[in-house]
């Protein structure tokens, strides 16, 4: 026998309607949303690091202004998503503690270094491209605050993807050395970008339940296929080669054939042993500690304002 609250929740999901913070929800639904939204928020915040590495070295004033705006957008996305997670009953402090103590997950993709300017192009084109593919369906996620946050975030991600495409396009129209640099960045980011969509469907423990709850709308492998389908024509326009000799459209299956993804590399990165995991967490922890005085001052200011209102 379902309780009236359980029945109401089930009906809202069955009607493809939205669950709001005030509504009753099963504990497991709340938990999985806190897990996914906080991981997503952490990804945005950690994702600022690989690109901020190039702000002081951008090749022109225009590129610098664009890159700064993009990194700021990512900070905004992170804060927006932390707020969405807070509506589920977890505090910012708890989430931040989980991140800087290395207990939280964030996207595997942000554990790779950015040695050249072309990496800014490859991140925009591939990483933000993958983010859009994954996040456009999340605009319809059943949890209201998450879905609404995604609408705005996706608009900004589209701009990020376009600016990355344009950086690579310009490099590909440059000297041999510039073309080589662009191709090298694409070679390094392609496979990690495919891994952003998560493990294969038959090894994705959360997918079935998240799809039943209308949080996820497509499986990890479906979105990965969509993403490759988006890349192929764009790579042709730019003249870059996607680094998979087996990549080929298959008329019979209606899918792209591709080489096996190196899931050992993915597991290593998730276990904290990727090329930049330690550095990313160390820098996040330092920034948190260096910002302590700002948080204290803001709290003290808020306390004084509240006191004044009482008086
Ligand atoms: N990097 C790190 N961890 C990952 C990744 C990845 N690329 N892919 C999957 N995982 C983790 C999952 O978080 C889960 O871990 P947990 O159970 O300890 O929480 C585990 O691997 C198993 O994966 P799934 O069962 O497939 O997990 P899920 O159903 O949550 O799907 C996905 C993973 C697709 C990433 C989903 O959580 C999602 O869509 N998240 C929102 C988007 C997002 O976080 N994007 C961040 C990068 S984009 C950007 O910020 C620019």
């Amino acid at each position: 026998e379902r309780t009236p609250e359980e029945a109401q929740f089930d009906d809202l999901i069955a009607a493809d309607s939205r669950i709001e913070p005030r509504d009753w929800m099963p504990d497991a639904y709340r938990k999985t949303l806190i897990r996914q939204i906080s991981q997503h928020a952490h990804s945005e915040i950690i994702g600022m690091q690989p690109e901020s590495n190039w702000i002081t070295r951008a090749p022109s004033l225009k590129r610098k202004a664009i890159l700064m705006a993009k990194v700021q957008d990512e900070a905004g996305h992170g804060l927006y998503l932390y707020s969405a997670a807070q509506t589920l009953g977890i505090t910012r402090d708890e989430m931040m503690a989980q991140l800087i103590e290395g207990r939280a997950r964030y996207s595997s993709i942000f554990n790779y270094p950015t040695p050249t300017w072309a990496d800014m192009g490859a991140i925009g084109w591939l990483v933000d491209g993958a983010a859009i593919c994954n996040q456009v369906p999340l605009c319809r996620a059943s949890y209201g605050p998450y879905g609404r946050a995604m609408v705005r975030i996706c608009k900004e991600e589209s701009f990020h993807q376009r600016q990355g495409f344009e950086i690579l396009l310009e490099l590909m129209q440059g000297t041999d050395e510039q073309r080589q640099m662009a191709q090298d960045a694409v070679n390094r980011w392609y496979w990690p970008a495919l891994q952003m969509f998560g493990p294969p469907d038959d090894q994705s423990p959360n997918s079935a339940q998240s799809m039943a709850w209308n949080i996820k709308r497509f499986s990890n492998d479906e979105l990965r296929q969509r993403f490759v389908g988006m890349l192929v024509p764009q790579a042709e326009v730019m003249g870059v080669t996607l680094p998979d000799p087996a990549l080929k459209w298959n008329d019979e299956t209606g899918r792209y054939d591709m080489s096996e993804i190196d899931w050992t590399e993915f597991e290593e990165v998730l276990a904290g042993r990727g090329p930049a995991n330690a550095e990313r967490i160390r820098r996040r922890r330092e920034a948190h500690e260096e910002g302590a005085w700002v948080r204290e001052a803001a709290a003290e200011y808020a306390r004084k304002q509240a006191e004044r209102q009482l008086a």
Side-chain angles (χ1 to χ4, degrees):
E1 208 33 25
R2 291 182 304 172
T3 65
E5 287 93 352
E6 283 166 354
Q8 191 195 24
F9 175 85
D10 291 347
D11 290 349
L12 283 170
I13 296 292
D16 205 352
S17 190
R18 283 208 144 139
I19 309 297
E20 295 298 336
R22 61 173 184 272
D23 294 330
W24 181 90
M25 60 189 87
D27 260 353
Y29 178 83
R30 186 184 298 278
K31 261 206 188 127
T32 208
L33 280 166
I34 290 178
R35 178 183 67 78
Q36 178 166 329
I37 301 173
S38 66
Q39 287 176 358
H40 194 165
H42 295 326
S43 304
E44 299 281 358
I45 296 298
I46 297 288
M48 295 167 73
Q49 291 187 31
E51 286 169 295
S52 63
N53 181 32
W54 277 93
I55 289 176
T56 55
R57 294 177 290 163
S60 70
L61 183 60
K62 184 182 107 180
R63 292 292 181 195
K64 185 179 177 128
I66 294 171
L67 189 60
M68 255 169 36
K70 176 181 192 291
V71 172
Q72 277 181 5
D73 285 350
E74 281 151 12
H77 298 173
L79 300 184
Y80 213 29
L81 286 164
Y82 282 130
S83 297
Q86 281 174 272
T87 64
L88 292 156
I90 186 167
T91 66
R92 270 276 277 287
D93 285 347
E94 281 175 84
M95 290 185 274
M96 200 44 69
Q98 289 170 355
L99 179 61
I100 62 182
E101 289 161 17
R103 290 184 283 126
R105 288 201 195 290
Y106 58 88
S107 184
S108 51
I109 195 72
F110 301 117
N111 295 301
Y112 292 86
T114 45
T116 73
W117 171 252
D119 289 316
M120 300 305 98
I123 289 182
W125 185 47
L126 295 170
V127 176
D128 295 303
I132 295 172
C133 264
N134 165 265
Q135 291 172 25
V136 165
L138 290 174
C139 294
R140 293 188 292 126
S142 57
Y143 188 57
Y146 191 36
R148 288 190 289 272
M150 280 299 124
V151 174
R152 164 142 179 209
I153 290 175
C154 283
K155 286 184 184 163
E156 293 181 347
E157 296 290 2
S158 312
F159 149 64
H160 297 172
Q161 199 260 354
R162 286 303 299 260
Q163 68 89 39
F165 178 88
E166 215 248 330
I167 288 175
L168 290 179
L169 184 67
E170 194 167 307
L171 288 172
M172 288 306 290
Q173 290 166 351
T175 63
D176 282 350
E177 227 178 341
Q178 286 170 323
R179 274 199 293 278
Q180 186 52 46
M181 185 166 76
Q183 182 62 55
D184 169 66
V186 169
N187 292 350
R188 283 181 291 107
W189 290 93
Y190 178 75
W191 292 106
L194 292 188
Q195 294 173 4
M196 285 173 71
F197 295 93
D201 292 348
D202 56 6
Q203 288 160 52
S204 163
N206 301 298
S207 277
Q209 184 60 75
S210 288
M211 286 176 77
W213 276 328
N214 295 342
I215 298 171
K216 282 171 101 159
R217 298 286 179 160
F218 299 98
S219 76
N220 298 356
D221 288 328
E222 280 169 344
L223 290 173
R224 212 177 339 260
Q225 275 283 329
R226 263 190 191 207
F227 176 55
V228 170
M230 184 188 96
L231 293 182
V232 167
Q234 296 185 3
E236 267 170 34
V237 169
M238 282 192 281
V240 296
T241 306
L242 296 174
D244 180 1
L247 183 64
K248 194 166 171 283
W249 176 255
N250 184 328
D251 253 338
E252 265 162 50
T253 58
R255 297 166 69 87
Y256 281 94
D257 292 334
M258 45 177 110
S259 306
E260 188 63 35
I261 291 174
D262 182 356
W263 293 111
T264 315
E265 174 185 331
F266 179 72
E267 283 154 22
E268 281 296 296
V269 174
L270 259 64
R273 292 186 291 267
N277 293 59
E279 188 193 334
R280 298 287 183 252
I281 294 295
R282 181 182 56 75
R283 258 188 80 185
R284 181 61 247 164
R285 193 183 306 121
E286 279 169 10
H288 188 72
E289 284 162 7
E290 282 163 15
W293 69 272
V294 179
R295 290 189 297 278
E296 278 160 27
E300 182 57 15
Y301 179 76
R303 193 190 61 77
K304 279 192 184 153
Q305 291 295 105
E307 215 173 61
R308 208 164 288 165
Q309 284 198 335
L310 281 178

